[in-house]
Amino acid sequence: MKIRISFILLMLIVSVLAHSQDYKIMTYNIRYDNPNDGENQWSKRNDFLSNQITYNNPDVFGIQEGLYHQVQYLDSVFVDYNYIGIGRDDGKTKGEYSAVFYNKEKFNIINEGTFWLSETPNKISVGWDASMERICTYGLFKDKVTKQQFFVFNTHFDHIGKVARVKSAALILEKITEFNTNNLPVIVMGDFNLKPQAEPIQLLSKALNDAKKVSILKPFGPTGTFNGFKFNKPVSARIDYIFTSKKQIKVLKYEILSDSKDCKYPSDHLPVVIDLKFINP
């Protein structure tokens, strides 16, 4: 009888621990493979960049600017991960991706897709006053152990169109409402090409939490995320973000990683990483 009671208690403890699991999420603009980048070309930094991601061991990470061969390289390195996403130019493999990689040993993908940041989001298109096609890739994930489900949206806003950036923020919020009919936790991340005081960031911050502002531990790392490969200058321009649901997610830690090797960064952006816990609203 005592053995049976001990076994039941053990199973209850395991269950509680499983359902209070922490997750690590990363967003990373990896810089597209530009042959004019000289010493910062992709072929000279891809190994360090992938090692950096491996060392931090995120459960889910979203990238921006990755071209097909860059996405395939990461897919070959991260054998325990699958990814979702398509090229923005043709809806297949051409153009930059906003791919989302996830640990396939931990999660199942329930649903996924990509929409264009435009007036016609279901078609390959350039929106409003944007300079080029822009997209948002999303996935509905399910933890294999806890059965917890959550959405991840990963995007890259235009760097020129002022109207496009406001409309893109509004569109993503509309899509969250459209897809998330069961009021599941939501994570929105990416390169927004905007500083915190900009209207689109403020719009997103009203509907969601800016992870940096609600982190329980004091945020760690530089103020900014865009380094422009300028190793000897302060990184002060914060344009990469992770947003989370206001009530269903507790952000435990927030950090901007400024790792370098031989006085060089692995990308012209610094990755943003958070540790979070899902909570009952």
Side-chain angles (χ1 to χ4, degrees):
M1 184 66 175
K2 289 183 178 180
I3 294 176
R4 180 175 176 81
I5 292 174
S6 298
F7 177 77
I8 293 173
L9 288 173
L10 178 61
M11 290 299 99
L12 286 172
I13 292 172
V14 170
S15 177
V16 169
L17 289 174
H19 285 273
S20 62
Q21 185 173 355
D22 298 350
Y23 300 88
K24 182 170 287 189
I25 310 296
M26 172 187 285
T27 182
Y28 204 165
N29 183 322
I30 65 171
R31 174 65 175 176
Y32 76 99
D33 186 3
N34 185 342
N36 297 319
D37 279 346
E39 293 185 350
N40 296 306
Q41 287 181 17
W42 173 250
S43 62
K44 297 182 179 181
R45 58 188 176 84
N46 57 5
D47 183 63
F48 181 49
L49 184 145
S50 59
N51 286 340
Q52 180 191 37
I53 297 174
T54 299
Y55 180 80
N56 285 278
N57 193 30
D59 296 293
V60 176
F61 66 94
I63 66 165
Q64 301 86 40
E65 287 199 20
L67 300 176
Y68 179 69
H69 67 278
Q70 293 176 284
V71 174
Q72 291 304 297
Y73 169 80
L74 294 177
D75 190 40
S76 70
V77 170
F78 296 100
V79 295
D80 291 334
Y81 291 71
N82 282 335
Y83 78 88
I84 57 174
I86 54 177
R88 69 187 186 190
D89 289 4
D90 66 349
K92 297 177 182 177
T93 60
K94 291 184 179 180
E96 296 176 6
Y97 284 63
S98 291
V100 179
F101 286 78
Y102 62 96
N103 189 323
K104 64 183 180 182
E105 306 301 323
K106 291 186 178 182
F107 306 107
N108 287 320
I109 184 75
I110 306 301
N111 191 19
E112 55 95 7
T114 296
F115 56 90
W116 277 258
L117 302 179
S118 76
E119 300 94 326
T120 54
N122 296 323
K123 298 179 180 179
I124 301 168
S125 50
V126 177
W128 305 286
D129 59 346
S131 61
M132 61 190 71
E133 296 87 353
R134 297 290 185 175
I135 57 175
C136 179
T137 292
Y138 67 91
L140 173 58
F141 299 93
K142 183 176 182 180
D143 187 302
K144 292 183 178 181
V145 176
T146 68
K147 310 305 179 185
Q148 172 71 57
Q149 295 187 35
F150 59 97
F151 276 97
V152 173
F153 290 76
N154 181 38
T155 192
H156 187 185
F157 278 15
D158 198 65
H159 63 298
I160 294 178
K162 294 182 179 180
V163 174
R165 285 179 283 190
V166 174
K167 295 290 188 179
S168 294
L171 177 62
I172 287 175
L173 294 176
E174 289 174 11
K175 289 295 184 181
I176 290 173
T177 300
E178 177 184 341
F179 300 148
N180 190 22
T181 55
N182 292 322
N183 196 32
L184 297 169
V186 175
I187 300 163
V188 178
M189 62 172 129
D191 173 5
F192 292 84
N193 272 312
L194 291 163
K195 295 181 179 180
Q197 63 271 23
E199 181 183 351
I201 301 301
Q202 292 299 309
L203 181 63
L204 290 166
S205 297
K206 288 180 181 179
L208 303 162
N209 279 330
D210 179 344
K212 183 176 184 178
K213 293 183 178 180
V214 298
S215 174
I216 293 176
L217 288 182
K218 184 179 179 179
F220 181 80
T223 302
T225 60
F226 179 70
N227 63 67
F229 288 126
K230 297 176 181 177
F231 182 77
N232 293 317
K233 292 188 177 182
V235 184
S236 58
R238 181 178 175 227
I239 61 174
D240 302 85
Y241 301 82
I242 300 178
F243 298 95
T244 63
S245 297
K246 286 188 175 292
K247 295 183 179 180
Q248 298 124 312
I249 294 177
K250 180 182 291 186
V251 178
L252 307 175
K253 294 195 298 183
Y254 172 98
E255 55 189 323
I256 296 173
L257 306 179
S258 57
D259 305 298
S260 63
K261 182 179 181 182
D262 300 328
C263 297
K264 292 183 180 64
Y265 292 120
S267 177
D268 63 342
H269 288 242
L270 304 179
V272 180
V273 181
I274 67 169
D275 286 9
L276 61 79
K277 184 190 298 289
F278 295 114
I279 57 177
N280 293 323

Coordinates of all heavy atoms in Angstrom, one line a residue, residues 98-161:
S98 N 10.8 34.0 -43.4 CA 10.7 34.3 -42.0 C 10.3 32.9 -41.3 O 9.3 32.7 -40.7 CB 9.5 35.3 -41.7 OG 9.9 36.6 -42.2
A99 N 11.3 32.0 -41.4 CA 11.1 30.6 -41.0 C 11.0 30.5 -39.5 O 11.7 31.2 -38.8 CB 12.2 29.7 -41.6
V100 N 10.3 29.5 -39.0 CA 10.3 29.2 -37.6 C 10.7 27.7 -37.4 O 10.2 26.8 -38.0 CB 8.8 29.3 -37.1 CG1 8.8 28.9 -35.6 CG2 8.3 30.7 -37.3
F101 N 11.8 27.6 -36.7 CA 12.4 26.3 -36.4 C 11.9 25.9 -35.0 O 11.8 26.7 -34.1 CB 13.9 26.3 -36.3 CG 14.5 26.4 -37.7 CD1 14.6 27.6 -38.4 CD2 15.1 25.3 -38.3 CE1 15.2 27.7 -39.7 CE2 15.7 25.4 -39.6 CZ 15.7 26.6 -40.2
Y102 N 11.5 24.6 -34.9 CA 11.0 24.1 -33.6 C 11.6 22.7 -33.3 O 11.9 21.9 -34.2 CB 9.5 24.0 -33.6 CG 8.9 23.1 -34.6 CD1 8.5 21.8 -34.2 CD2 8.7 23.5 -35.9 CE1 8.0 21.0 -35.2 CE2 8.2 22.7 -36.9 CZ 7.8 21.4 -36.5 OH 7.3 20.5 -37.4
N103 N 11.8 22.4 -32.0 CA 12.4 21.1 -31.6 C 11.3 20.0 -31.8 O 10.3 20.0 -31.1 CB 12.8 21.2 -30.1 CG 13.5 19.9 -29.7 OD1 13.3 18.8 -30.1 ND2 14.5 20.1 -28.8
K104 N 11.5 19.2 -32.8 CA 10.5 18.2 -33.2 C 10.4 17.1 -32.2 O 9.4 16.3 -32.2 CB 10.8 17.6 -34.6 CG 12.1 16.8 -34.6 CD 12.4 16.3 -36.0 CE 13.7 15.6 -36.1 NZ 14.1 15.1 -37.5
E105 N 11.4 17.0 -31.3 CA 11.3 16.0 -30.2 C 10.3 16.5 -29.1 O 9.8 15.7 -28.4 CB 12.7 15.7 -29.6 CG 13.7 15.4 -30.6 CD 13.4 14.1 -31.4 OE1 12.8 13.2 -30.8 OE2 13.7 14.0 -32.6
K106 N 10.1 17.8 -29.0 CA 9.2 18.3 -28.0 C 7.9 18.7 -28.5 O 6.9 18.7 -27.7 CB 9.9 19.6 -27.4 CG 11.1 19.3 -26.6 CD 11.6 20.6 -25.9 CE 12.9 20.3 -25.1 NZ 13.3 21.6 -24.4
F107 N 7.8 19.1 -29.8 CA 6.5 19.7 -30.2 C 6.0 19.0 -31.5 O 6.8 18.6 -32.4 CB 6.7 21.2 -30.5 CG 7.3 22.0 -29.4 CD1 8.6 22.5 -29.5 CD2 6.5 22.3 -28.3 CE1 9.1 23.2 -28.4 CE2 7.0 23.0 -27.3 CZ 8.3 23.5 -27.3
N108 N 4.7 19.0 -31.6 CA 4.0 18.7 -32.9 C 3.5 20.0 -33.5 O 3.1 20.9 -32.7 CB 2.9 17.7 -32.7 CG 3.3 16.3 -32.4 OD1 4.3 15.8 -32.9 ND2 2.6 15.7 -31.4
I109 N 3.5 20.1 -34.8 CA 2.9 21.2 -35.5 C 1.5 20.9 -35.8 O 1.2 19.9 -36.5 CB 3.7 21.6 -36.7 CG1 3.2 22.9 -37.3 CG2 3.9 20.5 -37.7 CD1 3.5 24.1 -36.6
I110 N 0.5 21.7 -35.3 CA -0.9 21.4 -35.5 C -1.4 22.1 -36.8 O -2.2 21.6 -37.6 CB -1.7 21.9 -34.3 CG1 -1.2 21.3 -33.0 CG2 -3.2 21.5 -34.5 CD1 -1.2 19.7 -33.0
N111 N -0.9 23.3 -37.0 CA -1.3 24.1 -38.2 C -0.2 25.1 -38.5 O 0.5 25.5 -37.5 CB -2.6 24.8 -37.9 CG -3.2 25.4 -39.2 OD1 -2.8 25.0 -40.3 ND2 -4.1 26.3 -39.0
E112 N -0.1 25.5 -39.7 CA 1.0 26.5 -40.1 C 0.6 27.1 -41.4 O -0.2 26.6 -42.2 CB 2.3 25.8 -40.1 CG 2.5 24.7 -41.1 CD 3.0 25.0 -42.5 OE1 3.4 26.2 -42.7 OE2 3.0 24.2 -43.3
G113 N 1.2 28.3 -41.6 CA 1.0 29.0 -42.8 C 1.8 30.3 -42.9 O 2.5 30.6 -42.0
T114 N 1.7 31.0 -44.0 CA 2.3 32.3 -44.2 C 1.4 33.2 -44.9 O 0.6 32.8 -45.9 CB 3.6 32.1 -45.1 OG1 4.5 31.3 -44.4 CG2 4.2 33.4 -45.4
F115 N 1.3 34.4 -44.5 CA 0.5 35.4 -45.2 C 1.4 36.7 -45.5 O 2.4 36.9 -44.8 CB -0.7 35.8 -44.4 CG -0.5 36.3 -43.0 CD1 -0.3 37.7 -42.8 CD2 -0.5 35.5 -41.9 CE1 -0.1 38.2 -41.5 CE2 -0.3 35.9 -40.6 CZ -0.1 37.3 -40.4
W116 N 1.0 37.4 -46.6 CA 1.7 38.5 -47.0 C 1.2 39.8 -46.3 O 0.0 39.9 -46.0 CB 1.6 38.7 -48.5 CG 2.6 37.9 -49.2 CD1 3.8 38.3 -49.8 CD2 2.5 36.5 -49.5 NE1 4.4 37.2 -50.4 CE2 3.7 36.1 -50.2 CE3 1.6 35.5 -49.1 CZ2 3.9 34.8 -50.6 CZ3 1.8 34.1 -49.5 CH2 3.0 33.8 -50.2
L117 N 2.1 40.6 -45.9 CA 1.7 41.9 -45.2 C 1.3 42.9 -46.3 O 2.0 43.7 -46.8 CB 2.9 42.4 -44.4 CG 3.4 41.4 -43.4 CD1 4.6 42.1 -42.6 CD2 2.4 41.0 -42.4
S118 N 0.0 42.8 -46.6 CA -0.5 43.6 -47.7 C -2.1 43.6 -47.6 O -2.7 42.9 -46.8 CB -0.1 43.0 -49.1 OG -0.9 41.9 -49.4
E119 N -2.7 44.3 -48.6 CA -4.1 44.3 -48.6 C -4.7 43.0 -49.1 O -5.9 42.7 -48.9 CB -4.6 45.4 -49.6 CG -4.2 46.8 -49.3 CD -2.8 47.2 -49.9 OE1 -2.0 46.4 -50.1 OE2 -2.7 48.4 -50.3
T120 N -3.9 42.1 -49.7 CA -4.3 40.8 -50.2 C -3.3 39.8 -49.5 O -2.5 39.2 -50.2 CB -4.2 40.7 -51.7 OG1 -2.9 41.1 -52.2 CG2 -5.3 41.6 -52.3
P121 N -3.5 39.5 -48.3 CA -2.6 38.7 -47.5 C -2.4 37.2 -48.0 O -1.4 36.6 -47.7 CB -3.1 38.7 -46.1 CG -4.5 39.1 -46.2 CD -4.6 40.0 -47.4
N122 N -3.4 36.7 -48.7 CA -3.4 35.4 -49.2 C -2.7 35.2 -50.6 O -2.7 34.1 -51.1 CB -4.8 34.8 -49.2 CG -5.4 34.7 -47.8 OD1 -4.7 34.4 -46.8 ND2 -6.7 34.9 -47.7
K123 N -2.3 36.3 -51.1 CA -1.6 36.3 -52.4 C -0.2 36.9 -52.3 O 0.0 37.8 -51.4 CB -2.4 37.1 -53.4 CG -3.8 36.6 -53.7 CD -4.6 37.5 -54.7 CE -6.0 37.0 -54.9 NZ -6.7 37.9 -55.9
I124 N 0.7 36.5 -53.2 CA 2.0 37.1 -53.2 C 1.8 38.5 -53.6 O 1.3 38.8 -54.7 CB 2.9 36.3 -54.3 CG1 3.0 34.9 -53.9 CG2 4.3 37.0 -54.4 CD1 3.6 34.0 -55.0
S125 N 2.2 39.5 -52.8 CA 1.9 40.9 -53.0 C 2.8 41.8 -52.2 O 3.4 41.4 -51.2 CB 0.4 41.1 -52.7 OG 0.1 40.6 -51.4
V126 N 2.9 43.0 -52.7 CA 3.5 44.1 -52.0 C 2.5 45.0 -51.3 O 1.5 45.4 -52.0 CB 4.4 44.9 -52.9 CG1 5.1 46.1 -52.1 CG2 5.5 44.0 -53.5
G127 N 2.6 45.2 -50.1 CA 1.5 46.0 -49.4 C 1.7 47.5 -49.2 O 2.9 47.9 -49.0
W128 N 0.7 48.3 -49.5 CA 0.7 49.7 -49.2 C 1.9 50.4 -49.8 O 2.1 50.3 -51.0 CB 0.6 49.9 -47.7 CG -0.6 49.2 -47.1 CD1 -2.0 49.5 -47.3 CD2 -0.6 47.9 -46.4 NE1 -2.8 48.6 -46.7 CE2 -2.0 47.6 -46.1 CE3 0.4 47.1 -45.9 CZ2 -2.3 46.5 -45.4 CZ3 0.0 45.9 -45.2 CH2 -1.3 45.7 -45.0
D129 N 2.7 51.1 -49.0 CA 3.8 51.8 -49.6 C 5.2 51.1 -49.3 O 6.2 51.7 -49.3 CB 3.9 53.2 -49.0 CG 4.0 53.2 -47.5 OD1 3.8 52.1 -46.8 OD2 4.4 54.3 -46.9
A130 N 5.1 49.7 -49.1 CA 6.3 48.9 -48.8 C 7.2 48.9 -50.1 O 6.7 49.1 -51.2 CB 5.9 47.5 -48.4
S131 N 8.4 48.6 -49.8 CA 9.4 48.6 -50.9 C 9.5 47.2 -51.6 O 10.0 47.1 -52.7 CB 10.8 48.9 -50.3 OG 11.2 48.0 -49.4
M132 N 8.9 46.2 -50.9 CA 9.0 44.8 -51.5 C 8.0 44.0 -50.7 O 7.4 44.4 -49.8 CB 10.5 44.3 -51.3 CG 10.9 44.2 -49.8 SD 12.7 43.8 -49.6 CE 13.4 45.4 -50.2
E133 N 8.0 42.7 -51.1 CA 7.1 41.7 -50.5 C 7.6 41.5 -49.0 O 8.8 41.4 -48.8 CB 7.1 40.4 -51.2 CG 6.5 40.4 -52.6 CD 7.5 40.7 -53.6 OE1 8.7 41.1 -53.3 OE2 7.2 40.6 -54.8
R134 N 6.6 41.5 -48.1 CA 6.9 41.2 -46.7 C 5.9 40.1 -46.2 O 4.7 40.1 -46.7 CB 6.8 42.4 -45.9 CG 7.8 43.5 -46.2 CD 9.2 43.1 -45.8 NE 10.2 44.2 -46.1 CZ 11.5 44.2 -45.8 NH1 11.9 43.1 -45.2 NH2 12.2 45.2 -46.0
I135 N 6.3 39.3 -45.3 CA 5.5 38.1 -44.9 C 5.5 37.9 -43.4 O 6.3 38.5 -42.7 CB 5.9 36.8 -45.6 CG1 7.4 36.5 -45.3 CG2 5.6 36.8 -47.1 CD1 7.9 35.2 -45.8
C136 N 4.6 37.1 -43.0 CA 4.5 36.6 -41.6 C 4.2 35.1 -41.7 O 3.2 34.7 -42.3 CB 3.5 37.4 -40.8 SG 3.3 36.8 -39.1
T137 N 5.1 34.3 -41.1 CA 4.9 32.9 -41.0 C 4.4 32.6 -39.6 O 5.0 33.1 -38.6 CB 6.2 32.1 -41.3 OG1 6.5 32.3 -42.7 CG2 6.1 30.7 -41.0
Y138 N 3.4 31.7 -39.5 CA 2.9 31.3 -38.2 C 2.7 29.8 -38.0 O 2.6 29.1 -39.0 CB 1.5 32.0 -37.9 CG 0.4 31.5 -38.9 CD1 -0.4 30.5 -38.5 CD2 0.2 32.1 -40.1 CE1 -1.4 30.0 -39.3 CE2 -0.7 31.6 -41.0 CZ -1.5 30.6 -40.6 OH -2.5 30.1 -41.4
G139 N 2.7 29.4 -36.8 CA 2.5 28.0 -36.5 C 1.7 27.8 -35.2 O 1.9 28.6 -34.3
L140 N 0.9 26.8 -35.1 CA 0.3 26.4 -33.9 C 1.0 25.1 -33.4 O 1.0 24.1 -34.1 CB -1.2 26.1 -34.1 CG -2.0 25.4 -33.0 CD1 -1.9 26.3 -31.7 CD2 -3.5 25.2 -33.4
F141 N 1.6 25.2 -32.3 CA 2.4 24.1 -31.8 C 1.7 23.4 -30.5 O 1.0 24.0 -29.8 CB 3.8 24.6 -31.3 CG 4.6 25.2 -32.5 CD1 4.5 26.6 -32.8 CD2 5.3 24.4 -33.3 CE1 5.2 27.1 -33.8 CE2 6.0 25.0 -34.4 CZ 6.0 26.3 -34.6
K142 N 2.1 22.1 -30.4 CA 1.6 21.4 -29.2 C 2.7 20.6 -28.5 O 3.4 19.9 -29.2 CB 0.5 20.4 -29.7 CG -0.2 19.6 -28.5 CD -1.3 18.8 -29.1 CE -2.0 18.0 -27.9 NZ -3.1 17.2 -28.5
D143 N 2.9 20.9 -27.3 CA 3.9 20.2 -26.5 C 3.5 18.7 -26.4 O 2.4 18.4 -26.0 CB 4.0 20.8 -25.1 CG 5.2 20.2 -24.3 OD1 5.2 19.0 -24.1 OD2 6.0 21.0 -23.9
K144 N 4.4 17.8 -26.7 CA 4.1 16.4 -26.7 C 3.8 15.8 -25.4 O 3.1 14.8 -25.2 CB 5.2 15.6 -27.4 CG 5.4 15.9 -28.9 CD 6.5 15.0 -29.5 CE 6.6 15.2 -31.0 NZ 7.7 14.4 -31.6
V145 N 4.4 16.4 -24.3 CA 4.2 15.9 -23.0 C 3.1 16.6 -22.2 O 2.2 16.0 -21.7 CB 5.5 16.1 -22.2 CG1 5.3 15.7 -20.7 CG2 6.7 15.3 -22.8
T146 N 3.1 17.9 -22.2 CA 2.1 18.7 -21.4 C 0.8 18.9 -22.2 O -0.2 19.3 -21.6 CB 2.6 20.1 -21.0 OG1 2.8 20.9 -22.2 CG2 4.0 19.9 -20.3
K147 N 0.9 18.7 -23.5 CA -0.3 19.0 -24.4 C -0.6 20.5 -24.5 O -1.6 20.8 -25.1 CB -1.5 18.2 -24.0 CG -1.3 16.7 -23.7 CD -0.7 16.0 -24.9 CE -0.4 14.6 -24.6 NZ 0.3 13.9 -25.7
Q148 N 0.3 21.3 -24.0 CA 0.1 22.8 -24.1 C 0.2 23.2 -25.6 O 1.1 22.8 -26.3 CB 1.2 23.5 -23.3 CG 1.2 25.0 -23.5 CD 0.0 25.7 -22.9 OE1 -0.2 25.6 -21.7 NE2 -0.8 26.4 -23.7
Q149 N -0.8 24.0 -26.0 CA -0.8 24.5 -27.4 C -0.5 26.0 -27.3 O -0.9 26.7 -26.4 CB -2.1 24.3 -28.1 CG -2.4 22.8 -28.3 CD -3.6 22.6 -29.1 OE1 -3.9 23.3 -30.1 NE2 -4.4 21.5 -28.8
F150 N 0.2 26.5 -28.4 CA 0.5 28.0 -28.4 C 0.8 28.3 -29.9 O 1.3 27.5 -30.7 CB 1.7 28.3 -27.5 CG 3.0 27.6 -27.8 CD1 4.0 28.2 -28.6 CD2 3.2 26.3 -27.3 CE1 5.1 27.5 -28.9 CE2 4.4 25.6 -27.6 CZ 5.3 26.2 -28.4
F151 N 0.6 29.6 -30.2 CA 0.9 30.1 -31.5 C 2.2 30.9 -31.5 O 2.6 31.6 -30.5 CB -0.2 31.1 -31.9 CG -1.4 30.5 -32.6 CD1 -2.6 30.2 -31.8 CD2 -1.5 30.1 -33.9 CE1 -3.7 29.7 -32.3 CE2 -2.6 29.5 -34.5 CZ -3.7 29.3 -33.7
V152 N 2.9 30.8 -32.6 CA 4.1 31.6 -32.9 C 3.9 32.3 -34.2 O 3.6 31.7 -35.2 CB 5.4 30.8 -32.9 CG1 6.6 31.7 -33.3 CG2 5.6 30.2 -31.5
F153 N 4.1 33.6 -34.2 CA 4.1 34.4 -35.4 C 5.5 35.1 -35.6 O 6.0 35.7 -34.7 CB 3.0 35.5 -35.4 CG 1.6 35.1 -35.4 CD1 1.0 34.5 -34.3 CD2 0.8 35.2 -36.6 CE1 -0.3 34.0 -34.3 CE2 -0.5 34.7 -36.6 CZ -1.0 34.2 -35.5
N154 N 6.1 34.9 -36.8 CA 7.4 35.4 -37.0 C 7.4 36.3 -38.3 O 6.9 35.9 -39.3 CB 8.4 34.3 -37.2 CG 9.8 34.8 -37.5 OD1 10.3 35.7 -36.9 ND2 10.5 34.1 -38.3
T155 N 7.9 37.5 -38.2 CA 7.7 38.5 -39.3 C 9.0 39.3 -39.5 O 9.9 39.4 -38.6 CB 6.5 39.3 -39.1 OG1 6.2 40.0 -40.3 CG2 6.7 40.3 -37.9
H156 N 9.0 40.1 -40.6 CA 10.0 41.1 -40.9 C 9.3 42.2 -41.6 O 8.9 42.1 -42.8 CB 11.1 40.4 -41.8 CG 12.2 41.3 -42.1 ND1 13.3 41.0 -42.9 CD2 12.6 42.5 -41.6 CE1 14.2 41.9 -42.9 NE2 13.8 42.9 -42.1
F157 N 9.2 43.3 -40.9 CA 8.5 44.5 -41.5 C 9.4 45.2 -42.5 O 10.6 45.1 -42.5 CB 8.1 45.5 -40.4 CG 6.9 45.1 -39.6 CD1 6.3 43.9 -39.7 CD2 6.3 46.1 -38.8 CE1 5.2 43.6 -39.0 CE2 5.2 45.8 -38.1 CZ 4.6 44.6 -38.2
D158 N 8.7 46.0 -43.4 CA 9.4 46.8 -44.4 C 10.2 47.9 -43.7 O 9.9 48.3 -42.6 CB 8.4 47.4 -45.3 CG 9.0 47.9 -46.6 OD1 9.5 47.0 -47.4 OD2 9.1 49.1 -46.8
H159 N 11.3 48.2 -44.3 CA 12.2 49.2 -43.8 C 12.0 50.6 -44.3 O 12.6 51.6 -43.8 CB 13.7 48.8 -44.1 CG 14.0 48.8 -45.5 ND1 13.4 48.0 -46.4 CD2 14.9 49.5 -46.3 CE1 13.9 48.2 -47.6 NE2 14.8 49.1 -47.6
I160 N 11.0 50.8 -45.2 CA 10.8 52.1 -45.8 C 9.3 52.5 -45.6 O 9.1 53.7 -45.1 CB 11.1 52.1 -47.3 CG1 12.6 51.9 -47.5 CG2 10.6 53.4 -48.0 CD1 13.0 51.8 -49.0
G161 N 8.4 51.7 -45.9 CA 7.0 52.1 -45.9 C 6.4 52.4 -44.6 O 6.2 51.5 -43.7

